[in-house]
Amino acid sequence: MIQRSIPVHFQHRIDFTHGAFDPKNHTLRDLIADACALDGPARVLVLLDSGVAESNPTLAASIPRYFAAHADTVTLMTDPICLSGGEPCKNNWSLVEKIWQAIEYFKICRHSYIIAIGGGAFLDLAGFGAATAHRGIRLIRMPTTTLSQGDGGVGVKNGVNYFGKKNWVGTFSVPFAVVNDLDFIASLPPRACRDGIIEAIKVSLIRDRSFYEYLKANGAALNRLETRPLEMTIRRSAENHVEHIATSGDPFEYGSARPLDFGHWAAHKLEQISNFSVSHGEAVAVGMAVDLLYSVQVGILPRSTAEGILTLMETVGFSLWSEFLNTEERGRPVILAGLEEFREHLGGRLTITLIPAIGEKLEVNEVDESAILRAIDELRQRHHSKVVTIPV
Ligand SMILES: NC(=O)c1ccc[n+]([C@@H]2O[C@H](COP(=O)([O-])OP(=O)(O)OC[C@H]3O[C@@H](n4cnc5c(N)ncnc54)[C@H](O)[C@@H]3O)[C@@H](O)[C@H]2O)c1
Ligand SMILES: [Zn+2]
């Protein structure tokens, strides 16, 4: 047998900026110029989420102007290619082919760059197209939602849906760089804007107590979606997500533990039961509430700690109850099927992350369903006790 280890080193770069396509902003230009000794300007293809283009009407025209101002370093091969975004784009295989066709037509090679601008779904699609053409083209991701800037967009995965299953086809691929232009947050509808805050709370709970204290101190301002605390929240969330990926020892998820998916087993199921009328952030809030009260039920977490976290999630504007938790099939709550589906999704053993204290995590491999149902019952009662009945 021949056995050799193959050492591979990845650089994961996350930059934060405002006005990335203002010609005076050198973030994108410098990233490309600094990375390699250029043999003439680098060829660049820009893929743009049409939802972002519509909400930012001057964006598409500003991109060619930016490249013209930096023609010594970068050549934009064509005007930005606008493709539809949001979850439906991950169900549309013809969009993958469109990306490959553009790569082929404009002779984008392994020394060229693709810049993808959009929400997490669009980045998953564009990232898959880029990673599979010529076995991988350098990708600069520019996430445009709070969720993708603080969570998914700074990760190392891509994928599209296939066989009716989410992310069935995709790769692990460290992007060349991620550029978070915080100006994009301004054009997000409030509901989408709020969604990213919950992933920030999640990551603070599993690894960063001081970030949790920051979120608690700024809960009311975050509820009002004030710019400064929101930007700080996105930064620290991104930092924590990247730190976890870089230091956990399992960036490409060979094991079964997935701490960044705290609260997600119930969240994924809730999104599905609701036919995605419950947003990802809203579902994660309920999912974390279930897991926190479950932890109290089984003696892992003190009740006072759990109550404090539930209050923070409500303060920033999330409901901890969804009527979809009541959905039953043949007398069994449908939400419980989320546990087995989560195990299948991770592969191997069921592994759920819980927290014994703020900033600490604990992996468990067995779950007591009756205690889960008691936790859900507590959330139901908590919700009903808050509904004020107006006497007539
Ligand atoms: N690869 C990963 O590691 C990872 C991790 C978490 C989530 N994800 C994926 O991310 C997706 C969810 O992403 P998302 O929450 O960012 O939303 P999204 O990509 O679904 O976008 C939602 C909508 O907002 C629009 N939009 C995006 N940015 C906008 C802006 N600045 N202004 C106005 N409209 C804008 C989009 O066009 C789309 O219509 C899911 O498909 C999920 O699977 C991937
Ligand atoms: Zn999530």
Side-chain angles (χ1 to χ4, degrees):
M1 177 170 74
I2 300 169
Q3 192 171 326
R4 297 300 306 261
S5 69
I6 304 179
V8 183
H9 186 75
F10 292 100
Q11 202 61 35
H12 197 22
R13 308 177 187 89
I14 323 291
D15 222 329
F16 295 85
T17 192
H18 288 272
F21 292 108
D22 177 338
K24 293 198 280 298
N25 186 322
H26 279 211
T27 309
L28 279 168
R29 180 211 173 276
D30 290 352
L31 268 171
I32 294 175
D34 292 350
C36 47
L38 288 174
D39 189 12
R43 300 163 80 87
V44 180
L45 195 65
V46 173
L47 305 175
L48 176 58
D49 180 327
S50 60
V52 179
E54 279 158 28
S55 309
N56 295 267
T58 59
L59 175 66
S62 72
I63 295 173
R65 281 202 298 273
Y66 181 85
F67 283 87
H70 298 289
D72 58 328
T73 313
V74 279
T75 305
L76 183 64
M77 303 308 294
T78 182
D79 282 348
I81 298 174
C82 248
L83 302 169
S84 57
E87 196 62 28
C89 82
K90 290 176 59 171
N91 295 319
N92 185 350
W93 186 254
S94 75
L95 293 180
V96 176
E97 287 178 334
K98 266 199 183 146
I99 292 170
W100 286 340
Q101 277 158 6
I103 291 169
E104 171 62 8
Y105 186 81
F106 293 105
K107 303 279 175 270
I108 298 298
C109 68
R110 288 175 50 81
H111 294 264
S112 314
Y113 294 80
I114 290 180
I115 299 180
I117 308 167
F122 187 79
L123 297 180
D124 271 353
L125 163 76
F128 177 67
T132 46
H134 299 301
R135 298 196 175 116
I137 290 166
R138 298 169 189 186
L139 172 72
I140 299 179
R141 289 194 197 149
M142 296 187 69
T144 56
T145 61
T146 48
L147 258 174
S148 57
Q149 290 197 349
D151 180 346
V154 299
V156 295
K157 296 183 270 189
N158 61 58
V160 297
N161 309 334
Y162 213 76
F163 299 128
K165 294 186 175 163
K166 235 178 116 81
N167 302 323
W168 192 89
V169 54
T171 76
F172 284 93
S173 172
V174 181
F176 174 80
V178 180
V179 175
N180 273 342
D181 183 341
L182 295 157
D183 285 354
F184 280 120
I185 300 307
S187 63
L188 277 177
R191 188 175 172 215
C193 191
R194 195 177 311 281
D195 261 10
I197 301 172
I198 208 72
E199 301 282 8
I201 296 178
K202 170 207 76 183
V203 81
S204 79
L205 289 175
I206 59 164
R207 67 187 319 281
D208 187 349
R209 191 186 171 97
S210 84
F211 183 27
Y212 177 80
E213 296 301 335
Y214 172 85
L215 293 166
K216 220 168 98 178
N218 289 276
L222 285 168
N223 185 317
R224 295 190 294 271
L225 304 176
E226 284 179 15
T227 306
R228 279 179 66 86
L230 200 55
E231 289 189 356
M232 182 57 79
T233 298
I234 290 170
R235 268 178 190 262
R236 292 190 69 173
S237 178
E239 228 166 62
N240 267 291
H241 277 86
V242 170
E243 199 57 26
H244 175 83
I245 293 166
T247 61
S248 66
D250 191 20
F252 299 149
E253 300 176 359
Y254 290 113
S256 298
R258 204 73 61 79
L260 294 177
D261 278 351
F262 172 49
H264 278 54
W265 72 265
H268 287 155
K269 193 65 197 168
L270 203 55
E271 284 180 273
Q272 190 202 345
I273 304 171
S274 75
N275 209 5
F276 295 88
S277 63
V278 175
S279 74
H280 184 66
E282 290 160 355
V284 172
V286 175
M288 287 203 294
V290 170
D291 281 357
L292 289 165
L293 289 178
Y294 170 78
S295 303
V296 174
Q297 289 285 337
V298 296
I300 289 175
L301 182 69
R303 178 167 288 279
S304 58
T305 312
E307 286 294 338
I309 303 167
L310 298 185
T311 303
L312 172 61
M313 292 199 282
E314 287 173 330
T315 305
V316 300
F318 287 93
S319 165
L320 306 181
W321 173 251
S322 164
E323 291 301 328
F324 292 104
L325 288 172
N326 286 332
T327 309
E328 291 194 352
E329 225 168 60
R330 282 185 237 114
R332 183 177 154 83
V334 177
I335 193 76
L336 291 177
L339 281 167
E340 173 54 18
E341 287 168 21
F342 194 66
R343 190 197 63 73
E344 279 171 25
H345 166 72
L346 300 177
R349 263 178 108 181
L350 174 67
T351 308
I352 301 281
T353 299
L354 299 176
I355 58 158
I358 288 164
E360 289 171 31
K361 57 184 164 45
L362 175 77
E363 312 294 351
V364 300
N365 300 109
E366 266 157 38
V367 175
D368 173 355
E369 289 192 355
S370 62
I372 294 276
L373 294 179
R374 287 201 298 280
I376 291 175
D377 209 41
E378 266 198 62
L379 287 174
R380 184 182 291 112
Q381 286 172 23
R382 196 183 155 89
H383 171 73
H384 290 307
S385 70
K386 287 191 176 182
V387 176
V388 182
T389 315
I390 303 166
V392 281

